Amino acid sequence: MFRRIGAAVVRHPVWTIVAWLIAAVAIVATAPGLPSNSDESSFLPKSYESIQAVELQQKAFPSAFTPSAIALYQRTDGGRLTAADQKDIARITTELGEKKIDQVQKVVPGPPSKDGRYSLTLVQMDSKNAGQPKQADAAKTLRADVKQLARGTHLDVRLGGSAAQALDQQDSSKRGQALIGIGTFVIILVTLLIIFRAPILAVLPLVLIGLVSAVANGLIAYATKLFGLQANSSISSILIVVLFGVGTDYFLFLMFRYRERLRAGDESKEAMINAVGRVGEAIASAAGAVIIAFLALVLSTLGFLKQMGPALAIAVAATLVAGLTLIPAVVSLIGPKVFWPSKSWQKEPENARFAALGRAVRRRPALAAVASGLVLLALSAGTLGYKATFDLASGSMPKTKESMVVQDQMQKAYSAGAAAPTDVYLSSTDGKPLDKSRFTGYEHKLGTVDGVASVRMSQLDKDGTTADFTVTLRYEASTDQAIDAVQRVRDTAHANAPAGTEALVGGMSSIYKDIDTAVNHDYRTVFPVAALLIMVILGLLLRSVVAPWYLMASVGLGFGATLGATVWIFQKGEGHSGLMFMLPVIMYLFVVAIGTDYNILMIARLREEAREGRDPREAAGQALRHAGPTVAAAGFILAATFATMMLAGNALLTEMGFAVSFGIAIAAFVMAMFFTPSLTALIGHAAWWPGHGDRAAQTPDTVPARPADDRDPAGHGR
């Protein structure tokens, strides 16, 4: 099938390219804008208590004051606020409310800190648009206006709160995307120049994948609008890396095999047809594994991951189609001139390093398997110390951003939980008014919970059927202590609700608690489903029920090693309180799915060598010799492009960039190079049971087997 695809594309390259250009223009011109949402609560389904509490609050207290932005004042000299300062703060608060800024519903003064050094202005915005870009725009206006109004005073004012965090996250994301994009381009360009010493080959994938990127983003925008998915600014940064990293992988898979066929004496167009025919199945299987793994995220209960899964699957699918059509069409038009001005592509270099590695694995497969396995196990030990953190806002931007500075200062000046209090809503189940005489006892019970700083009955709805008890925790909302404390608050609130009433606990800590529950659900659901589907793809590719088991076991070890190393680096080394909560899910999918690419390429080449009559050990050695350079080059580029995410300057992308790049390096340079081929050599023919995938088979483009030392490897040297 893949040979037929290659033949059709190579024989009609111009029409293939024109079809891609027409599709790109049509999709980009008509695609809707990609929406964005930074409200963590929007990522949870309505079945969770924290979301039910939000809905109850909107129904019972539609005009309840919940600040979306907080202006924090302090004197420029750091001293206590004077009476004149308090007068200036009152004036600024009044004038800010009179400006009638879009989205702003109410502006009121907040309480001073206990030490008298800080005071607040609280700004309420339309709750229906929480997390939307228009509220970030309102925060931008508020920030400029409040600073303007404070000029000429002795006050230093900063704007924080959820709307300001959305603004700073937006700005940080734009900077991060620019750095990631530039870093990705430079890495791909320089690495391809070093590998091929051909400027056309270095620039070509960037141009072609850039076209694919435009198509993929348009298709993603269509899918997001069609299925009503949630979007987040971090997705755009991940898409850049996935498109260019995976796209370059498939480009290299094809070009190394194209160069090999040219060295074997094929005519230019026939070489490309043979290249697509021989490596197309491996590329399609690798892409299929990635797509299936990403689509498994649809089973997630978190809207953030539900959006990410289909988006990344669409990106990889577009890249796959381009790898089998657009890239072969363009390269077949250019022909061998694509390698200009280098001449080294015409012959195999002497003393190939991968030939030596192949001989080592062939001679001592048990040693290679044990040594590489022990490395993976040792790194996996770090997973025992894993902890999660749930503050997506602060994880998505540097601590130096203004909203983060406000959050830190408020934790010091006020109770750590004051910026995001917890609300306990006590409601009548029979529609009768609540018995107010029981409020004091209920309030007292909540106040005795470990981790609670204060409790007050703040409001009662107009029918008297729902009461709001505001609970201030001793800890910042996203910390492990706050999440543990809010569970104790829930237990107490439910257990002590008077007869005829029920309690719902809301607030950010409650949302984070439910996110924790949702992520644990995803671990139990997404992980095994993705693994099972990838195993099915491997089984279909290899016609075996044995090989998929140890291939997935090796990838599982790679995941454990990656998570362990990330824990040691960031939790132990950098002192982070935990890793971002969605990191293991994302890491599992990237490391397992994309890491499987290299296992697929290596095992497919091993099978090809075995079919030419070699015994299992010889086939493993030759597979490493032939596919090793491709895996090394592709693995290095993909790991390096993911590492550019560390340039973004925020915890989420820094941790993700390190973890995924490290995992891909493990997959390419430990699993695919040593663990997989050595295990396959040790298991022998049984690895292909019940089929006979390693038995000799004649195909239309099969060339006669030559002595191992005389064969042309897939891409040695420059």
Side-chain angles (χ1 to χ4, degrees):
M1 181 182 78
F2 293 100
R3 182 178 172 81
R4 289 196 296 271
I5 292 173
V9 168
V10 169
R11 287 167 188 162
H12 305 285
V14 174
W15 285 111
T16 302
I17 296 168
V18 168
W20 265 95
L21 290 174
I22 292 173
V25 170
I27 291 171
V28 171
T30 60
L34 187 65
S36 181
N37 197 328
S38 60
D39 180 17
E40 284 91 341
S41 66
S42 67
F43 300 142
L44 285 168
K46 295 181 180 180
S47 58
Y48 285 93
E49 181 173 348
S50 60
I51 306 306
Q52 294 173 1
V54 170
E55 293 178 342
L56 177 60
Q57 180 263 320
Q58 292 174 349
K59 180 181 178 181
F61 308 106
S63 59
F65 191 91
T66 303
S68 299
I70 301 171
L72 178 68
Y73 304 91
Q74 67 178 125
R75 281 185 61 85
T76 53
D77 60 9
R80 292 173 63 88
L81 295 171
T82 65
D85 296 329
Q86 295 286 5
K87 187 175 180 181
D88 284 329
I89 293 171
R91 174 187 58 80
I92 293 170
T93 301
T94 300
E95 293 184 13
L96 202 60
E98 291 171 350
K99 288 184 175 289
K100 304 297 181 184
I101 298 169
D102 181 46
Q103 295 297 305
V104 173
Q105 295 180 327
K106 193 181 296 184
V107 182
V108 301
S113 62
K114 292 181 180 179
D115 62 7
R117 296 177 184 273
Y118 297 89
S119 192
L120 306 172
T121 290
L122 306 177
V123 181
Q124 182 182 25
M125 296 188 188
D126 187 351
S127 61
K128 295 179 181 178
N129 295 320
Q132 298 296 328
K134 60 179 67 177
Q135 294 208 347
D137 295 339
K140 186 175 183 178
T141 303
L142 279 168
R143 184 172 283 170
D145 287 350
V146 75
K147 291 181 185 296
Q148 175 66 35
L149 292 171
R151 285 185 180 176
T153 70
H154 296 288
L155 296 171
D156 181 27
V157 58
R158 293 184 175 91
L159 191 76
S162 59
Q165 287 178 354
L167 172 64
D168 290 341
Q169 187 177 356
Q170 189 180 87
D171 293 342
S172 180
S173 177
K174 289 178 181 177
R175 175 181 174 274
Q177 285 181 41
L179 290 172
I180 290 168
I182 293 170
T184 299
F185 271 65
V186 170
I187 286 168
I188 293 174
L189 188 66
V190 171
T191 306
L192 291 179
L193 277 172
I194 292 173
I195 292 172
F196 294 108
R197 298 178 184 174
I200 296 176
L201 264 182
V203 173
L204 191 59
L206 295 175
V207 174
L208 297 182
I209 298 167
L211 176 64
V212 176
S213 175
V215 172
N217 276 288
L219 293 175
I220 290 165
Y222 273 122
T224 300
K225 183 177 181 180
L226 181 64
F227 297 106
L229 301 173
Q230 298 290 345
N232 185 274
S233 55
S234 298
I235 291 177
S236 298
S237 301
I238 299 170
L239 273 175
I240 293 171
V241 178
V242 169
L243 281 162
F244 283 91
V246 174
T248 304
D249 262 14
Y250 299 160
F251 179 84
L252 286 171
F253 288 0
L254 193 64
M255 291 310 301
F256 272 105
R257 185 54 73 99
Y258 175 60
R259 185 172 69 175
E260 178 184 353
R261 299 312 308 160
L262 288 174
R263 286 175 174 171
D266 288 357
E267 180 272 331
S268 175
K269 290 187 180 297
E270 188 64 21
M272 180 54 72
I273 293 172
N274 282 336
V276 175
R278 288 188 173 227
V279 84
E281 185 179 24
I283 291 176
S285 299
V290 178
I291 291 168
I292 287 294
F294 287 158
L295 286 178
L297 284 176
V298 172
L299 300 174
S300 170
T301 51
L302 289 172
F304 173 80
L305 296 178
K306 278 181 178 289
Q307 159 68 7
M308 180 180 290
L312 296 179
I314 290 170
V316 175
T319 307
L320 168 62
V321 175
L324 296 178
T325 58
L326 181 61
I327 293 172
V330 173
V331 174
S332 67
L333 272 182
I334 301 172
K337 291 180 181 178
V338 75
F339 296 105
W340 179 89
S342 173
K343 301 289 186 182
S344 61
W345 65 271
Q346 298 174 353
K347 59 182 179 179
E348 175 190 352
E350 298 178 358
N351 302 320
R353 291 181 294 275
F354 289 95
L357 285 176
R359 287 193 295 271
V361 169
R362 181 188 67 196
R363 290 168 184 166
R364 296 185 175 180
L367 177 62
V370 171
S372 54
L374 287 175
V375 168
L376 297 175
L377 283 171
L379 290 172
S380 298
T383 59
L384 299 174
Y386 168 74
K387 291 183 179 179
T389 183
F390 298 89
D391 191 354
L392 188 59
S394 63
S396 300
M397 69 187 101
K399 293 293 186 182
T400 54
K401 284 291 186 179
E402 185 169 329
S403 59
M404 292 295 97
V405 173
V406 170
Q407 179 174 291
D408 291 342
Q409 287 182 326
M410 284 191 66
Q411 289 177 31
K412 296 172 184 176
Y414 297 82
S415 171
T422 295
D423 289 285
V424 176
Y425 299 104
L426 188 66
S427 299
S428 170
T429 57
D430 55 12
K432 296 179 180 179
L434 295 170
D435 183 356
K436 297 180 183 179
S437 66
R438 298 190 176 186
F439 286 178
T440 302
Y442 191 65
E443 184 177 314
H444 174 74
K445 287 286 187 181
L446 294 174
T448 61
V449 174
D450 183 27
V452 170
S454 64
V455 181
R456 62 185 177 89
M457 205 291 287
S458 53
Q459 55 188 333
L460 190 67
D461 73 341
K462 62 180 181 180
D463 297 326
T465 57
T466 301
D468 177 9
F469 293 83
T470 300
V471 179
T472 302
L473 301 178
R474 299 183 186 277
Y475 318 106
E476 195 275 320
S478 65
T479 60
D480 289 342
Q481 297 99 316
I483 292 169
D484 291 341
V486 86
Q487 182 59 56
R488 292 192 291 271
V489 170
R490 282 183 176 182
D491 293 340
T492 302
H494 296 159
N496 292 279
T501 68
E502 64 178 2
L504 290 175
V505 180
M508 288 310 303
S509 294
S510 186
I511 288 172
Y512 292 138
K513 174 61 184 176
D514 286 341
I515 288 176
D516 186 25
T517 303
V519 170
N520 288 331
H521 165 273
D522 292 349
Y523 291 162
R524 296 189 301 270
T525 306
V526 177
F527 282 23
V529 168
L532 178 62
L533 293 175
I534 292 173
M535 285 184 68
V536 170
I537 289 177
L538 290 172
L540 293 173
L541 169 67
L542 303 174
R543 282 77 170 175
S544 165
V545 297
V546 175
W549 285 99
Y550 69 80
L551 288 176
M552 286 306 298
S554 72
V555 174
L557 277 174
F559 167 77
T562 303
L563 181 58
T566 307
V567 168
W568 273 327
I569 292 292
F570 290 98
Q571 287 185 205
K572 308 297 184 184
E574 297 290 326
H576 290 194
S577 60
L579 304 179
M580 292 305 297
F581 67 90
M582 80 285 282
L583 185 63
V585 176
I586 294 171
M587 192 169 63
Y588 174 85
L589 292 167
F590 278 99
V591 174
V592 171
I594 297 179
T596 302
D597 282 11
Y598 306 126
N599 268 343
I600 287 175
L601 188 69
M602 185 63 72
I603 203 76
R605 188 60 190 242
L606 192 153
R607 181 183 60 180
E608 186 178 326
E609 297 295 333
R611 284 177 170 177
E612 293 188 0
R614 294 182 172 83
D615 64 53
R617 292 194 179 199
E618 179 64 24
Q622 286 301 306
L624 182 53
R625 179 188 181 195
H626 289 251
T630 311
V631 170
F636 173 78
I637 289 178
L638 191 59
T641 52
F642 270 103
T644 61
M645 295 170 70
M646 298 174 70
L647 300 174
N650 66 66
L652 173 61
L653 293 180
T654 298
E655 291 173 2
M656 192 183 301
F658 171 81
V660 177
S661 62
F662 185 86
I664 288 169
I666 287 288
F669 296 101
V670 179
M671 292 189 301
M673 292 284 189
F674 297 101
F675 198 67
T676 297
S678 59
L679 272 181
T680 307
L682 287 171
I683 296 171
H685 295 298
W688 308 96
W689 184 87
H692 302 285
D694 62 336
R695 305 305 187 188
Q698 294 296 321
T699 58
D701 59 316
T702 297
V703 295
R706 286 170 282 172
D709 291 340
D710 295 329
R711 296 187 70 245
D712 298 307
H716 297 309
R718 310 289 183 261

